[in-house]
Amino acid sequence: MFYKQNKQVFEIIVRKDNTSIQNKSSDGVKGKSVQSGAMVNQSNIDEDSNVSAMFKSTKKVVATLGITSVVKQSAFTALNFYVSSFGTKNGDQSLQNQINRQVEVVSDTVNVLTSTISGGVTGAATAGVIGAVVGTLTGFASSMLSIGARQYERQRSYDTTMFKENNAIEYNRMRAGLNDTNGRSR
C-alpha cells in the first residue's frame, strides 16, 4: 500500500501462471491498479511513461554524443594526416614539430570542451539539473587529468633525456682531458 497526498493506493501484482484465472478482482479485470474503490491510479501510469520517455531521451543523447565523438575523431585524424607531410615536403623537421604542437593544442582545447559538454548533457539526461552540474564537472576534471598526466609524462621523459645527454657530455669532456699539460686542448 502506498500513501500519496491523502490517497490510499492499492496495486495488484499479476503473475502469469494457471492459477491466475481463479484470482480475478471483483470487477473481472486482473492487474488493475485500484485507487479509492474502483478508480485507476493515473499517477503510476504517468510516472511509468515519464521514466520510459527519460530512457528514450537518454538513448538519443548517448547516440548523439557517440556520433559526435566519431566525427570529431575522424576530423582530427584527417587533419593530422594532412599536416604530417609538411615537414617531409620541405625537409624542415622543426616546422613539422611546430605544426604538430599547434594541432595538439587545438585538439586538446576541443577535447576539453566536448568532454565538458558531453558530461553535462549526459548528466542532465539522467538526473536533471544536478546531474548536469555533476556531469559537467566530471567531464571537465576527467579531460584535464588526462592532459595533465600526458604533460607530466612528457616533462619526465624530457628531464630523463636531458640528464643522459648532460652526463654524456661531461663524460666525453672528462675523457678528452681538457687541460694545459696533455696538449689535447683544441
Side-chain angles (χ1 to χ4, degrees):
M1 251 188 259
F2 300 107
Y3 294 92
K4 192 176 194 181
Q5 298 178 352
N6 298 327
K7 294 179 184 177
Q8 188 174 10
V9 179
F10 296 95
E11 290 189 352
I12 300 171
I13 299 172
V14 179
R15 292 186 184 169
K16 293 183 179 182
D17 58 2
N18 292 337
T19 60
S20 64
I21 298 172
Q22 300 169 355
N23 296 331
K24 288 188 177 181
S25 61
S26 61
D27 60 351
V29 178
K30 179 113 178 101
K32 185 177 186 180
S33 296
V34 180
Q35 176 182 351
S36 301
M39 296 171 55
V40 175
N41 183 2
Q42 290 295 326
S43 64
N44 282 345
I45 295 171
D46 292 340
E47 289 173 7
D48 290 341
S49 64
N50 287 341
V51 170
S52 175
M54 182 184 74
F55 284 125
K56 286 180 182 176
S57 68
T58 304
K59 288 179 185 177
K60 288 180 183 176
V61 167
V62 171
T64 303
L65 292 175
I67 290 169
T68 304
S69 175
V70 169
V71 168
K72 180 187 73 165
Q73 184 177 5
S74 299
F76 278 119
T77 302
L79 178 66
N80 191 23
F81 179 77
Y82 175 72
V83 300
S84 67
S85 63
F86 288 163
T88 56
K89 285 180 183 175
N90 299 327
D92 190 358
Q93 189 59 38
S94 178
L95 174 65
Q96 185 63 50
N97 289 341
Q98 290 174 357
I99 291 171
N100 288 345
R101 182 64 185 137
Q102 292 300 319
V103 168
E104 184 180 6
V105 168
V106 170
S107 173
D108 287 346
T109 303
V110 170
N111 285 339
V112 168
L113 290 174
T114 56
S115 290
T116 303
I117 291 170
S118 66
V121 169
T122 304
T126 56
V129 176
I130 294 173
V133 171
V134 170
T136 300
L137 293 175
T138 303
F140 180 76
S142 167
S143 183
M144 293 306 291
L145 285 173
S146 175
I147 291 172
R150 187 181 68 227
Q151 294 300 330
Y152 177 76
E153 179 62 33
R154 185 177 287 168
Q155 183 66 36
R156 187 169 65 177
S157 174
Y158 174 78
D159 290 344
T160 302
T161 303
M162 291 308 296
F163 176 76
K164 289 178 182 178
E165 287 181 7
N166 287 337
N167 281 344
I169 290 170
E170 288 300 319
Y171 176 75
N172 288 334
R173 283 183 183 161
M174 185 180 68
R175 281 197 69 206
L178 297 177
N179 59 29
D180 294 332
T181 61
N182 64 7
R184 298 186 69 155
S185 181
R186 295 180 189 156

